[in-house]
Each structure stands twice: as structure tokens, then as C-alpha cells.
């Protein structure tokens, strides 16, 4: 009869050594697990309100722009009378319903030196091509108020204000041209003899129609192409697991021919990912745009495994790249922060919807197909947008981060993160 | 086994009841392992707690290859080693007093004491010896693996194990006699 070694006897003896821990151990474990769950939920519920707040701001500012025409700025003139300054705005109900005349007031007495104060609007338009004028649309109750208002040097609504100190010749010229070409007969210019200033009267419906045309052209979809490079990282903690393979075992209780224990420990690291696609942007309010599109994404993540054969003591390292091919449709909200000298900077945030077309190579088993993959992947994306206008082309750079909301596979909780820098262009 | 698999699936889906059942099923066995690596029950409970938290948080990494108990056991051992390394009271001193180094002639002695008594003796070894003995004699780790795990040379692991084994055998031999004659451990 085979006499057991000291180690074998010890192993056998210890197999039967069980001790019951105290009750509080489980309570502590339970608490710790729930704490983590709560933390996860907290992160999710933190991101959601941020997105909702962003959308809320967008709607708020949009509405504010629309109702801007109702915002009244009071100006006190020398005769202590006040009048309402109103900005023109597309689709404004007030403007459309109120057929009261809008006066375009030219307060450029000093700058239109060559203008002989003709009452012909066409002549003013021609002058505008080479001369700076400062029109402003005002809702007034009488011509006398216009005369008094002409002394004002600034207005409150920046959107439709032409800075008196820094005149924008082109805008003014275009505006006048549009009016004259649309309906010259309805425009009239008069000269206030007291203030010696030119006053142009235009029917509000003409202005409203012109504004509509300009706005619709500005708010069209801009479609372009984008290509990106970045890293994907699967959020899997380093771990150790045991596997078995057939071989000759010469240690412990498994001596002889049979399954040999392999101790594998792995770490997960980021791997390069690529994407290419079509991006479409549409402004829907001042400084706000919505962005969508479709792109093909090739995402990769690397598993570094160290395996130790407990029989031969051989240790070897292996690398496995998980590959995911996906189609992605983002829905992003953009907030423009800076827009000067053809350079723009903005913030972007939204949801990315991905459909995984194919996924292969997963670590820890020999199959080349990843099983139980969740085909639909949703992720939260956010980042910056740097925009450069070169002639009629917009070139943009989009550094962004994505955090998955859904799990990568059906039977695991692991999520992923992706950092990408995209470069693209679109045409006006 | 099927029941455990089922519980794992349910625990992965966030079932607290399944997590508790898994804990109840394995707690006693795992606590036994933790006791062997420490000097006090409190420390063993700390390791058990930490080990189970790790296991539940990383349950998705369990690949159904081999027994769940084995996977859990490995986590407990690794947690115990981390605990020993990070707690100053368990600094892995390898000092062994001369009186412990009497060679043992009988390599194939019969162990006639109970598990609880054997554990009590193992716990009396200096921490370094206790750890190496547990890892090699009971867990079945090779000296190469032990060297990697503890950051020591393979030779050190072998020599320390030989000494620990020798001491323990002496103690067990003494206790065997007491056991037979109705001594203190009987």
C-alpha cells in the first residue's frame, strides 16, 4: 500500500478544516458590494442630468433668442421720453402680425460724407458698397421718436446690432440690397431736417421674409467626412484564473498523466482603434448645433496573459487582441464657445449608438468568436470641437471620450472606454 | 456543482440572495484557509471579507474553467499574501531560532492529530515559514511560483520550506505522542 507523504497527509487533513466566520463578515461584504453598485448608479445618474441640463440650456437660449424681439430696452433721451428698441428676428409673430412700420435709421451722418441725403434708397444701397452706414431697426410709435432715438450710439441686442465703433460694411450693404431688390416700392427714405439724419421706412413683412430666407440658408445641414484614431480600453480588472490542459503532472496530488493546472494571470490594456464616417451638423439655435452621422469603427483592446504550468514550471506570456467591428450613429449637441476670425471652439456631448457587426478573439478561452456579445452598445460621449474655416470648407478636429453605458457581453458587467481624435471637413 | 453555476449566473445578474448563498456555501472552507495564513481570527476575518468582496466584484472574470471553489481559494490565498505584505505585524521575517532546526529523520511519518491541532501548530511558525509551508505543502504551489509570489529566490523558498517542514514534523511528532497517550490535544 502506498504510504502517503507528509504533504499529502497535510493536504488531506486541511481539506476537512472548516471554520464558520462571524455574522458581521457577510454584513460588511454586502455593504461593500452595494456601495460599489450605488457608486456606479451615481455616476450614471450624474451624467444623465448633465446631458439634460445641456439640452435644457439649448432650449432656453433658443427660446430666449426667439423672444428677444420682445425684450425691451429703455433709453432715455434728452426730452426724457422712452422708446422701445426691438431686434429683428426670423419667424417672429410680433413682426409678422404687426404691420407697423419698421424704421431703418441711418445715424451715419458723419460717415456718409458723400451722401447728399437723397431720398432714393437705391442710391444708398449703391453707396453702401463703398461707404459705411449703421442701420438699426426700431419699433417706434411716431417719426418724432425716431428722431430722438437717432442720438443713441449703442443698442442692447448684440445679435442685430452693428457696432458703431467697428462698422461691418458688408453686412449692412447686403441687408439694404436685399430690401431694395425685394420690394423697393415699399421702402421709403426720408430726411429728418432737425437731426439731419436719414430714415428709411420699410414694411415689416419684407424684413420678416428676408430674415426667413437668410436663416433657412444658415441653418441647413452641413455634411462632411471624418476619420479618427484613438484607443479602446475594456474595463476589466487584472485577475488570476486557473485552467487545465492535458500533460504529464509531476507535482502534488495530480501526479501522473492527466490534466495539468495552468495558472493564468492577465491584465488588460488599451489598443489602437480607428474610425471613418460621415458627419452631419445642423445649427438649430444661436451657438447650438446638433451633430449626427454614421461611421465604421474598428475597436481593439489588448489582454496580456501570463500562464504558469504548475507541472513543468514553464511560464509564458501571450497577448490577445479583442477586435470589434461596429457601426456607430452619434447624436451630439454642440455648444459654440468661441467663434472669431474663422476659428471656432465648442463643447460636444451626447449619446453614441453602436451596432457591433463582428467581434473576435477573446482572452481566456481558445474560441476566436466572442460569445454572448451585446450587439447594441450605447455610450456617452463628450469632447471638444476645434473648427477652422478655410474658404468655403470647415475643417474640424474632435478630441473626445466615450464611456459605455451597456455591458460588452451579456454575461459580464464589464464596460469600455474610448478616447478618439477625429479630423474631418464639411462644406457650407 | 450545477447549483453553484446557477448561483453564479444569478449573482452576475445582481441577485443579492444568490451572492449570500454563494457566501454561505463557501465561507467556512475559505475561512479555514484564511486562518492558516494569519495569527489571529480577526485578521483571518478581514482577509475573508476582502477576498469575498474581490470575488464578487470580479465574478465576471470567472470563466467556468475549473471549480468555482478553486477560483475562490486562489483569490483568498492572494488576498492573504497581500494582507501579510501590507501589515507590518506580518512582515515576512525569515528568522528561525536554532532550537527549531533539529533535523527530522522520519520523512514519512503518520500525522495522527486533528486538523484543528495541525492548524494551531502551523500558526506557531514564524510568518515567513508559515506562508511558505501553506503555499507549498497545502496549496501545492511550486517553489518557482512561491518565489514569484513572495519576491524571493527559489532557493530561499526551498530552504525555508525544508526548515518549516522539519520544525512542524518535530512538533507533530511530539503531539502525536501526546495524542496517543491522551495528552493536551486529545
Amino acid at each position: 500500500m502506498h504510504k502517503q507523504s507528509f504533504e499529502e497527509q497535510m493536504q488531506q487533513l486541511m481539506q476537512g478544516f472548516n471554520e464558520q466566520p462571524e455574522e458581521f463578515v457577510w454584513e460588511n461584504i454586502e455593504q461593500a458590494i452595494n456601495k460599489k453598485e450605488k457608486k456606479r448608479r451615481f455616476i450614471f445618474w450624474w451624467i444623465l442630468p448633465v446631458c439634460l441640463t445641456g439640452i435644457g440650456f439649448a432650449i432656453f437660449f433658443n427660446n430666449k433668442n426667439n423672444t428677444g424681439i420682445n425684450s425691451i430696452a429703455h433709453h432715455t433721451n434728452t426730452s426724457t421720453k422712452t422708446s422701445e428698441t426691438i431686434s429683428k428676428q426670423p419667424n417672429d409673430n410680433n413682426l409678422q402680425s404687426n404691420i407697423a412700420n419698421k424704421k431703418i435709421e441711418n445715424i451715419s451722418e458723419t460717415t456718409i460724407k458723400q451722401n447728399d441725403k437723397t431720398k432714393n434708397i437705391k442710391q444708398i444701397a449703391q453707396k453702401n458698397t463703398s461707404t459705411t452706414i449703421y442701420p438699426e431697426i426700431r419699433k417706434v410709435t411716431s417719426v418724432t421718436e425716431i428722431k430722438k432715438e437717432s442720438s443713441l450710439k449703442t443698442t442692447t441686442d448684440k445679435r442685430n446690432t452693428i457696432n458703431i465703433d467697428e462698422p461691418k460694411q458688408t453686412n449692412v450693404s447686403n441687408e439694404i440690397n436685399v430690401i431694395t431688390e425685394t420690394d423697393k416700392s415699399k421702402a421709403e427714405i426720408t430726411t429728418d431736417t432737425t437731426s439731419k439724419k436719414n430714415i428709411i421706412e420699410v414694411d415689416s413683412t419684407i424684413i420678416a421674409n428676408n430674415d426667413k430666407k437668410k436663416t433657412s440658408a444658415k441653418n441647413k445641414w452641413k455634411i462632411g467626412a471624418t476619420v479618427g484614431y484613438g484607443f479602446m480600453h475594456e474595463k476589466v480588472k487584472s485577475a488570476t484564473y486557473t485552467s487545465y490542459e492535458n500533460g504529464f503532472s509531476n507535482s502534488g496530488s495530480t501526479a501522473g498523466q492527466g490534466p495539468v493546472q495552468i495558472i493564468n494571470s492577465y491584465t488588460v490594456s488599451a489598443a489602437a482603434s480607428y474610425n471613418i464616417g460621415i458627419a452631419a451638423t445642423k445649427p438649430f439655435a444661436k451657438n447650438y448645433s446638433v451633430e449626427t452621422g454614421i461611421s465604421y469603427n474598428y475597436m481593439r483592446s489588448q489582454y496580456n496573459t501570463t500562464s504558469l504550468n504548475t507541472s513543468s514550471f514553464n511560464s509564458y506570456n501571450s497577448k490577445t487582441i479583442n477586435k470589434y467591428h461596429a457601426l456607430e450613429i452619434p447624436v451630439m449637441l454642440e455648444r459654440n464657445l468661441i467663434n472669431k476670425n474663422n476659428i471656432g471652439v465648442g463643447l460636444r456631448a451626447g449619446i453614441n449608438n453602436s451596432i457591433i457587426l463582428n467581434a473576435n478573439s477573446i482572452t481566456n478561452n481558445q474560441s476566436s468568436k466572442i460569445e454572448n456579445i451585446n450587439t447594441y452598445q450605447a455610450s456617452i460621449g463628450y469632447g471638444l470641437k476645434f473648427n477652422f474655416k478655410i474658404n468655403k470648407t470647415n475643417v474640424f478636429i474632435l478630441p473626445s471620450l466615450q464611456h459605455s453605458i451597456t455591458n460588452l457581453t451579456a454575461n459580464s458587467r464589464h464596460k469600455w472606454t474610448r478616447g478618439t481624435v477625429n479630423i474631418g471637413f464639411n462644406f457650407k | 456543482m450545477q447549483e453553484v453555476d446557477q448561483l453564479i449566473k444569478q449573482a452576475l445578474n445582481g441577485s443579492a440572495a444568490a451572492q449570500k448563498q454563494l457566501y454561505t456555501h463557501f465561507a467556512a472552507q475559505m475561512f479555514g484557509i484564511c486562518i492558516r495564513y494569519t495569527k489571529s481570527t480577526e485578521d483571518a476575518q478581514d482577509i475573508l471579507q476582502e477576498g469575498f468582496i474581490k470575488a464578487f466584484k470580479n465574478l465576471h472574470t470567472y470563466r467556468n474553467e475549473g471549480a468555482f471553489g478553486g477560483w475562490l481559494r486562489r483569490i483568498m490565498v492572494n488576498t492573504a499574501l497581500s494582507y501579510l505584505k501590507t501589515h507590518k505585524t506580518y512582515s515576512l521575517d525569515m528568522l528561525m531560532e536554532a532550537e527549531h532546526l533539529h533535523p527530522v529523520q522520519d520523512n514519512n511519518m503518520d500525522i495522527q492529530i486533528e486538523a484543528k491541532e495541525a492548524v494551531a501548530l502551523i500558526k506557531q511558525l514564524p510568518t515567513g515559514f508559515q506562508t511558505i509551508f501553506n503555499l507549498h505543502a497545502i496549496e501545492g504551489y511550486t517553489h518557482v511560483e512561491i518565489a514569484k509570489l513572495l519576491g524571493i529566490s527559489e532557493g530561499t523558498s526551498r530552504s525555508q520550506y525544508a526548515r518549516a517542514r522539519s520544525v512542524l514534523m518535530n512538533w507533530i511528532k511530539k503531539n502525536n505522542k501526546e495524542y496517543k497517550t491522551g495528552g493536551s490535544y486529545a
Side-chain angles (χ1 to χ4, degrees), chain B residues 3-179:
Chain B
E3 191 197 344
V4 171
D5 287 345
Q6 202 60 37
L7 287 173
I8 293 164
K9 274 183 189 172
Q10 288 169 5
L12 277 169
N13 290 327
S15 164
Q19 284 172 341
K20 189 171 185 184
Q21 280 187 61
L22 277 174
Y23 171 80
T24 312
H25 195 274
F26 290 102
Q29 191 189 339
M30 296 305 141
F31 191 44
I33 296 166
C34 299
I35 287 171
R36 274 195 284 114
Y37 282 87
T38 54
K39 302 286 184 201
S40 73
T41 314
E42 288 74 29
D43 290 338
Q45 282 182 155
D46 277 355
I47 294 168
L48 182 77
Q49 185 180 308
E50 211 176 303
F52 265 105
I53 292 167
K54 269 187 198 174
F56 285 128
K57 282 180 181 174
N58 295 288
L59 202 55
H60 59 272
T61 62
Y62 171 62
R63 307 279 172 183
N64 264 325
E65 292 161 354
F68 180 71
W71 182 76
L72 206 54
R73 187 188 180 103
R74 206 159 288 278
I75 288 175
M76 290 299 161
V77 170
N78 287 336
T79 310
L81 295 180
S82 305
Y83 190 90
L84 299 178
K85 280 177 189 170
T86 51
H87 285 72
K88 279 182 181 174
T89 47
Y90 288 104
S91 57
L92 296 176
D93 62 304
M94 295 295 174
L95 295 170
M96 182 66 98
E97 289 175 26
E99 60 172 302
H100 295 149
L101 301 176
H102 297 299
V104 175
Q105 301 299 322
D106 186 6
N107 274 330
N108 291 317
M109 61 174 287
D110 286 326
I111 301 172
Q112 292 171 354
I113 54 170
E114 287 182 3
K116 213 170 186 175
E117 292 156 358
V119 170
L121 291 175
I122 293 168
K123 278 161 76 93
Q124 284 178 39
L125 287 167
T127 311
F129 286 15
Q130 179 185 0
T131 310
I132 292 172
F133 183 83
N134 274 318
L135 288 171
H136 184 73
I138 302 167
E139 253 67 66
Y141 280 83
T142 63
H143 289 294
V144 178
E145 293 170 60
I146 294 167
K148 264 190 180 178
L149 283 169
L150 300 180
I152 55 173
S153 71
E154 192 188 334
T156 307
S157 176
R158 283 184 190 281
S159 64
Q160 298 298 320
Y161 174 73
R163 289 176 188 182
R165 185 181 188 267
S166 168
V167 172
L168 208 59
M169 282 176 104
N170 273 335
W171 288 347
I172 289 170
K173 219 171 186 181
K174 195 180 162 195
N175 280 279
N176 275 347
K177 285 174 194 167
E178 287 171 3
Y179 187 76

Side-chain angles (χ1 to χ4, degrees), chain A residues 191-341:
Chain A
T191 306
D192 175 24
T193 48
T194 318
S195 61
K196 293 181 180 178
K197 288 168 186 173
N198 295 324
I199 298 164
I200 305 163
E201 288 184 15
V202 185
D203 193 297
S204 64
T205 50
I206 299 167
I207 297 166
N209 287 337
N210 288 331
D211 286 342
K212 262 187 189 176
K213 283 177 195 171
K214 281 198 287 180
T215 311
S216 62
K218 197 180 171 186
N219 288 354
K220 270 186 180 174
W221 281 100
K222 290 173 191 167
I223 297 173
T226 171
V227 60
Y229 175 83
F231 292 92
M232 182 205 188
H233 180 64
E234 286 182 43
K235 286 183 184 171
V236 181
K237 280 189 180 173
S238 305
T240 304
Y241 68 98
T242 309
S243 60
Y244 296 89
E245 63 182 43
N246 283 327
F248 185 78
S249 169
N250 60 6
S251 73
S253 56
T254 55
Q257 187 69 33
V260 175
Q261 197 182 41
I262 310 289
I263 299 165
N264 307 281
S265 59
Y266 64 85
T267 55
V268 183
S269 57
S273 301
Y274 313 92
N275 71 70
I276 186 164
I278 298 164
T281 314
K282 186 184 193 300
F284 66 91
K286 188 176 181 252
N287 288 330
Y288 285 92
S289 310
V290 64
E291 182 197 303
T292 187
I294 188 162
S295 63
Y296 162 75
N297 288 259
Y298 177 50
M299 302 182 289
R300 305 190 311 158
S301 177
Q302 184 171 304
Y303 279 66
N304 309 301
T305 309
T306 304
S307 304
L308 185 77
N309 187 316
T310 56
S311 177
S312 63
F313 312 135
N314 287 331
S315 168
Y316 54 92
N317 298 320
S318 61
K319 283 179 187 174
T320 315
I321 304 279
N322 280 359
K323 296 162 193 161
Y324 304 94
H325 304 267
L327 275 183
E328 190 173 275
I329 300 171
V331 181
M332 308 284 274
L333 182 72
E334 284 179 18
R335 168 75 167 99
N336 202 17
L337 299 174
I338 302 166
N339 199 357
K340 276 183 182 174
N341 302 327

Side-chain angles (χ1 to χ4, degrees), chain A residues 24-35:
Chain A
F24 73 86
V25 177
W26 168 247
E27 285 163 17
N28 290 347
I29 293 167
E30 199 178 24
Q31 230 172 18
I33 301 165
N34 288 339
K35 202 175 170 185

